[in-house]
mmCIF file of all heavy atoms in Angstrom:
data_model
loop_
_atom_site.group_PDB
_atom_site.id
_atom_site.type_symbol
_atom_site.label_atom_id
_atom_site.label_comp_id
_atom_site.label_asym_id
_atom_site.label_seq_id
_atom_site.Cartn_x
_atom_site.Cartn_y
_atom_site.Cartn_z
ATOM 1 N N ALA T 432 22.589 11.575 139.254
ATOM 2 C CA ALA T 432 23.559 12.360 138.504
ATOM 3 C C ALA T 432 22.825 13.491 137.782
ATOM 4 O O ALA T 432 21.666 13.338 137.382
ATOM 5 C CB ALA T 432 24.320 11.498 137.496
ATOM 6 N N GLY T 433 23.509 14.630 137.601
ATOM 7 C CA GLY T 433 22.931 15.745 136.865
ATOM 8 C C GLY T 433 22.259 16.758 137.765
ATOM 9 O O GLY T 433 22.753 17.079 138.848
ATOM 10 N N ASP T 434 21.083 17.225 137.337
ATOM 11 C CA ASP T 434 20.373 18.293 138.049
ATOM 12 C C ASP T 434 19.439 17.742 139.108
ATOM 13 O O ASP T 434 18.237 18.032 139.140
ATOM 14 C CB ASP T 434 19.588 19.146 137.042
ATOM 15 C CG ASP T 434 20.481 19.762 135.973
ATOM 16 O OD1 ASP T 434 21.664 20.010 136.268
ATOM 17 O OD2 ASP T 434 19.994 19.970 134.844
ATOM 18 N N LEU T 435 19.981 16.913 139.995
ATOM 19 C CA LEU T 435 19.219 16.313 141.072
ATOM 20 C C LEU T 435 19.943 16.529 142.389
ATOM 21 O O LEU T 435 21.182 16.696 142.394
ATOM 22 C CB LEU T 435 19.042 14.801 140.828
ATOM 23 C CG LEU T 435 18.222 14.393 139.591
ATOM 24 C CD1 LEU T 435 18.263 12.886 139.400
ATOM 25 C CD2 LEU T 435 16.794 14.890 139.693
ATOM 26 N N PRO T 436 19.231 16.543 143.499
ATOM 27 C CA PRO T 436 19.897 16.781 144.811
ATOM 28 C C PRO T 436 20.897 15.693 145.149
ATOM 29 O O PRO T 436 20.631 14.502 144.994
ATOM 30 C CB PRO T 436 18.717 16.795 145.796
ATOM 31 C CG PRO T 436 17.599 16.077 145.092
ATOM 32 C CD PRO T 436 17.782 16.372 143.652
ATOM 33 N N GLY T 437 22.084 16.120 145.631
ATOM 34 C CA GLY T 437 23.109 15.180 146.031
ATOM 35 C C GLY T 437 23.672 14.358 144.887
ATOM 36 O O GLY T 437 24.168 13.246 145.108
ATOM 37 N N ALA T 438 23.594 14.871 143.670
ATOM 38 C CA ALA T 438 23.923 14.102 142.480
ATOM 39 C C ALA T 438 25.419 14.158 142.125
ATOM 40 O O ALA T 438 26.112 15.123 142.439
ATOM 41 C CB ALA T 438 23.108 14.604 141.274
ATOM 42 N N VAL T 439 25.889 13.086 141.451
ATOM 43 C CA VAL T 439 27.224 13.089 140.848
ATOM 44 C C VAL T 439 27.274 14.184 139.783
ATOM 45 O O VAL T 439 26.325 14.386 139.023
ATOM 46 C CB VAL T 439 27.508 11.716 140.215
ATOM 47 C CG1 VAL T 439 28.815 11.747 139.409
ATOM 48 C CG2 VAL T 439 27.564 10.626 141.288
ATOM 49 N N GLN T 440 28.391 14.909 139.734
ATOM 50 C CA GLN T 440 28.597 15.961 138.749
ATOM 51 C C GLN T 440 29.841 15.656 137.926
ATOM 52 O O GLN T 440 30.729 14.932 138.354
ATOM 53 C CB GLN T 440 28.748 17.328 139.434
ATOM 54 C CG GLN T 440 27.573 17.748 140.293
ATOM 55 C CD GLN T 440 26.304 17.945 139.491
ATOM 56 O OE1 GLN T 440 26.342 18.392 138.344
ATOM 57 N NE2 GLN T 440 25.171 17.627 140.115
ATOM 58 N N ALA T 441 29.885 16.214 136.729
ATOM 59 C CA ALA T 441 31.069 16.058 135.889
ATOM 60 C C ALA T 441 32.292 16.639 136.606
ATOM 61 O O ALA T 441 32.177 17.638 137.338
ATOM 62 C CB ALA T 441 30.870 16.778 134.556
ATOM 63 N N LEU T 442 33.443 16.008 136.421
ATOM 64 C CA LEU T 442 34.668 16.546 137.018
ATOM 65 C C LEU T 442 34.933 17.936 136.479
ATOM 66 O O LEU T 442 34.648 18.227 135.312
ATOM 67 C CB LEU T 442 35.849 15.622 136.697
ATOM 68 C CG LEU T 442 35.805 14.205 137.273
ATOM 69 C CD1 LEU T 442 37.055 13.438 136.861
ATOM 70 C CD2 LEU T 442 35.655 14.224 138.774
ATOM 71 N N PRO T 443 35.468 18.827 137.304
ATOM 72 C CA PRO T 443 35.707 20.203 136.818
ATOM 73 C C PRO T 443 36.724 20.257 135.681
ATOM 74 O O PRO T 443 36.620 21.088 134.776
ATOM 75 C CB PRO T 443 36.214 20.945 138.058
ATOM 76 C CG PRO T 443 36.607 19.892 139.026
ATOM 77 C CD PRO T 443 35.783 18.676 138.732
ATOM 78 N N HIS T 444 37.722 19.372 135.709
ATOM 79 C CA HIS T 444 38.741 19.374 134.662
ATOM 80 C C HIS T 444 39.185 17.950 134.387
ATOM 81 O O HIS T 444 39.395 17.160 135.314
ATOM 82 C CB HIS T 444 39.960 20.204 135.065
ATOM 83 C CG HIS T 444 39.635 21.645 135.358
ATOM 84 N ND1 HIS T 444 39.317 22.545 134.383
ATOM 85 C CD2 HIS T 444 39.559 22.319 136.540
ATOM 86 C CE1 HIS T 444 39.062 23.718 134.941
ATOM 87 N NE2 HIS T 444 39.202 23.615 136.247
ATOM 88 N N THR T 445 39.303 17.616 133.118
ATOM 89 C CA THR T 445 39.860 16.318 132.701
ATOM 90 C C THR T 445 40.546 16.518 131.360
ATOM 91 O O THR T 445 40.006 17.195 130.478
ATOM 92 C CB THR T 445 38.750 15.260 132.546
ATOM 93 O OG1 THR T 445 38.174 14.985 133.830
ATOM 94 C CG2 THR T 445 39.299 13.955 132.002
ATOM 95 N N ASP T 446 41.705 15.926 131.219
ATOM 96 C CA ASP T 446 42.397 15.944 129.944
ATOM 97 C C ASP T 446 41.717 14.919 129.049
ATOM 98 O O ASP T 446 41.944 13.718 129.175
ATOM 99 C CB ASP T 446 43.872 15.601 130.134
ATOM 100 C CG ASP T 446 44.624 15.605 128.804
ATOM 101 O OD1 ASP T 446 44.030 15.975 127.773
ATOM 102 O OD2 ASP T 446 45.800 15.176 128.810
ATOM 103 N N SER T 447 40.852 15.394 128.136
ATOM 104 C CA SER T 447 40.065 14.474 127.331
ATOM 105 C C SER T 447 40.934 13.611 126.418
ATOM 106 O O SER T 447 40.537 12.503 126.039
ATOM 107 C CB SER T 447 39.042 15.240 126.476
ATOM 108 O OG SER T 447 39.696 16.168 125.623
ATOM 109 N N THR T 448 42.133 14.095 126.104
ATOM 110 C CA THR T 448 43.013 13.305 125.241
ATOM 111 C C THR T 448 43.562 12.081 125.967
ATOM 112 O O THR T 448 44.068 11.153 125.340
ATOM 113 C CB THR T 448 44.179 14.155 124.725
ATOM 114 O OG1 THR T 448 44.935 14.630 125.854
ATOM 115 C CG2 THR T 448 43.674 15.347 123.928
ATOM 116 N N SER T 449 43.456 12.080 127.318
ATOM 117 C CA SER T 449 43.952 10.937 128.076
ATOM 118 C C SER T 449 42.956 9.791 128.110
ATOM 119 O O SER T 449 43.286 8.677 128.538
ATOM 120 C CB SER T 449 44.282 11.364 129.514
ATOM 121 O OG SER T 449 43.091 11.727 130.202
ATOM 122 N N VAL T 450 41.711 10.048 127.663
ATOM 123 C CA VAL T 450 40.676 9.010 127.640
ATOM 124 C C VAL T 450 40.730 8.304 126.299
ATOM 125 O O VAL T 450 40.565 8.949 125.241
ATOM 126 C CB VAL T 450 39.278 9.597 127.878
ATOM 127 C CG1 VAL T 450 38.231 8.483 127.832
ATOM 128 C CG2 VAL T 450 39.230 10.329 129.220
ATOM 129 N N VAL T 451 40.965 7.014 126.311
ATOM 130 C CA VAL T 451 40.958 6.225 125.082
ATOM 131 C C VAL T 451 39.571 5.577 124.968
ATOM 132 O O VAL T 451 39.259 4.637 125.698
ATOM 133 C CB VAL T 451 42.066 5.156 125.080
ATOM 134 C CG1 VAL T 451 42.008 4.338 123.794
ATOM 135 C CG2 VAL T 451 43.433 5.809 125.253
ATOM 136 N N TRP T 452 38.768 6.109 124.074
ATOM 137 C CA TRP T 452 37.391 5.616 123.966
ATOM 138 C C TRP T 452 37.369 4.284 123.246
ATOM 139 O O TRP T 452 37.832 4.166 122.117
ATOM 140 C CB TRP T 452 36.525 6.614 123.200
ATOM 141 C CG TRP T 452 36.406 7.963 123.845
ATOM 142 C CD1 TRP T 452 36.957 9.135 123.416
ATOM 143 C CD2 TRP T 452 35.685 8.282 125.047
ATOM 144 N NE1 TRP T 452 36.630 10.165 124.249
ATOM 145 C CE2 TRP T 452 35.841 9.677 125.264
ATOM 146 C CE3 TRP T 452 34.933 7.549 125.948
ATOM 147 C CZ2 TRP T 452 35.269 10.340 126.343
ATOM 148 C CZ3 TRP T 452 34.345 8.200 127.027
ATOM 149 C CH2 TRP T 452 34.527 9.577 127.224
ATOM 150 N N GLN T 453 36.791 3.286 123.886
ATOM 151 C CA GLN T 453 36.584 1.969 123.269
ATOM 152 C C GLN T 453 35.143 1.869 122.787
ATOM 153 O O GLN T 453 34.244 2.524 123.349
ATOM 154 C CB GLN T 453 36.873 0.852 124.279
ATOM 155 C CG GLN T 453 38.294 0.841 124.815
ATOM 156 C CD GLN T 453 39.312 0.562 123.727
ATOM 157 O OE1 GLN T 453 39.040 -0.183 122.778
ATOM 158 N NE2 GLN T 453 40.499 1.158 123.864
ATOM 159 N N PRO T 454 34.870 1.093 121.747
ATOM 160 C CA PRO T 454 33.471 0.913 121.320
ATOM 161 C C PRO T 454 32.626 0.375 122.460
ATOM 162 O O PRO T 454 33.082 -0.448 123.264
ATOM 163 C CB PRO T 454 33.587 -0.106 120.174
ATOM 164 C CG PRO T 454 34.982 0.047 119.657
ATOM 165 C CD PRO T 454 35.823 0.381 120.861
ATOM 166 N N LEU T 455 31.392 0.862 122.538
ATOM 167 C CA LEU T 455 30.475 0.389 123.572
ATOM 168 C C LEU T 455 30.066 -1.055 123.324
ATOM 169 O O LEU T 455 29.898 -1.477 122.168
ATOM 170 C CB LEU T 455 29.228 1.276 123.602
ATOM 171 C CG LEU T 455 29.404 2.687 124.144
ATOM 172 C CD1 LEU T 455 28.184 3.557 123.784
ATOM 173 C CD2 LEU T 455 29.616 2.671 125.648
ATOM 174 N N SER T 456 29.898 -1.805 124.394
ATOM 175 C CA SER T 456 29.366 -3.156 124.297
ATOM 176 C C SER T 456 27.841 -3.045 124.254
ATOM 177 O O SER T 456 27.215 -2.612 125.229
ATOM 178 C CB SER T 456 29.801 -3.994 125.506
ATOM 179 O OG SER T 456 29.156 -5.262 125.481
ATOM 180 N N THR T 457 27.264 -3.419 123.134
ATOM 181 C CA THR T 457 25.828 -3.130 122.928
ATOM 182 C C THR T 457 24.891 -4.194 123.486
ATOM 183 O O THR T 457 23.674 -4.030 123.432
ATOM 184 C CB THR T 457 25.538 -2.961 121.433
ATOM 185 O OG1 THR T 457 25.854 -4.182 120.747
ATOM 186 C CG2 THR T 457 26.350 -1.810 120.857
ATOM 187 N N GLN T 458 25.426 -5.295 124.011
ATOM 188 C CA GLN T 458 24.565 -6.396 124.491
ATOM 189 C C GLN T 458 24.156 -6.222 125.948
ATOM 190 O O GLN T 458 23.418 -7.062 126.488
ATOM 191 C CB GLN T 458 25.287 -7.727 124.306
ATOM 192 C CG GLN T 458 25.537 -8.074 122.846
ATOM 193 C CD GLN T 458 24.249 -8.082 122.025
ATOM 194 O OE1 GLN T 458 23.299 -8.765 122.371
ATOM 195 N NE2 GLN T 458 24.212 -7.298 120.963
ATOM 196 N N ARG T 459 24.627 -5.175 126.602
ATOM 197 C CA ARG T 459 24.289 -4.966 128.019
ATOM 198 C C ARG T 459 23.063 -4.084 128.152
ATOM 199 O O ARG T 459 22.844 -3.167 127.353
ATOM 200 C CB ARG T 459 25.475 -4.308 128.738
ATOM 201 C CG ARG T 459 26.738 -5.128 128.745
ATOM 202 C CD ARG T 459 27.858 -4.389 129.464
ATOM 203 N NE ARG T 459 27.479 -4.060 130.837
ATOM 204 C CZ ARG T 459 28.199 -3.275 131.642
ATOM 205 N NH1 ARG T 459 29.329 -2.743 131.203
ATOM 206 N NH2 ARG T 459 27.801 -3.030 132.880
ATOM 207 N N GLU T 460 22.263 -4.347 129.182
ATOM 208 C CA GLU T 460 21.147 -3.465 129.508
ATOM 209 C C GLU T 460 21.697 -2.264 130.251
ATOM 210 O O GLU T 460 22.133 -2.372 131.402
ATOM 211 C CB GLU T 460 20.129 -4.207 130.365
ATOM 212 C CG GLU T 460 19.348 -5.272 129.605
ATOM 213 C CD GLU T 460 18.317 -5.987 130.482
ATOM 214 O OE1 GLU T 460 18.510 -6.004 131.718
ATOM 215 O OE2 GLU T 460 17.353 -6.540 129.923
ATOM 216 N N GLN T 461 21.708 -1.092 129.579
ATOM 217 C CA GLN T 461 22.288 0.097 130.186
ATOM 218 C C GLN T 461 21.350 1.293 130.183
ATOM 219 O O GLN T 461 21.772 2.414 130.413
ATOM 220 C CB GLN T 461 23.606 0.463 129.479
ATOM 221 C CG GLN T 461 24.768 -0.450 129.864
ATOM 222 C CD GLN T 461 26.099 0.089 129.367
ATOM 223 O OE1 GLN T 461 26.577 -0.295 128.305
ATOM 224 N NE2 GLN T 461 26.715 0.993 130.142
ATOM 225 N N LEU T 462 20.063 1.031 129.935
ATOM 226 C CA LEU T 462 19.076 2.104 130.001
ATOM 227 C C LEU T 462 17.785 1.566 130.591
ATOM 228 O O LEU T 462 17.333 0.484 130.209
ATOM 229 C CB LEU T 462 18.802 2.700 128.619
ATOM 230 C CG LEU T 462 17.897 3.947 128.653
ATOM 231 C CD1 LEU T 462 18.663 5.168 129.162
ATOM 232 C CD2 LEU T 462 17.277 4.237 127.294
ATOM 233 N N VAL T 463 17.198 2.332 131.495
ATOM 234 C CA VAL T 463 15.900 1.998 132.070
ATOM 235 C C VAL T 463 14.991 3.212 131.875
ATOM 236 O O VAL T 463 15.311 4.314 132.319
ATOM 237 C CB VAL T 463 16.001 1.642 133.566
ATOM 238 C CG1 VAL T 463 14.616 1.279 134.120
ATOM 239 C CG2 VAL T 463 16.973 0.494 133.779
#
């Protein structure tokens, strides 16, 4: 994802108000 070849990119348009942000679950391994 990001500035890499063949990477996932952010959607061109999204209604941000339609996203209901829930608190992150902090007990998961989500970074390497």
Side-chain angles (χ1 to χ4, degrees):
D434 302 332
L435 296 174
V439 172
Q440 302 296 325
L442 296 180
H444 301 287
T445 294
D446 179 7
S447 59
T448 60
S449 67
V450 179
V451 179
W452 299 109
Q453 299 296 327
L455 289 165
S456 174
T457 61
Q458 295 304 305
R459 298 179 58 188
E460 289 181 336
Q461 284 191 265
L462 186 75
V463 181

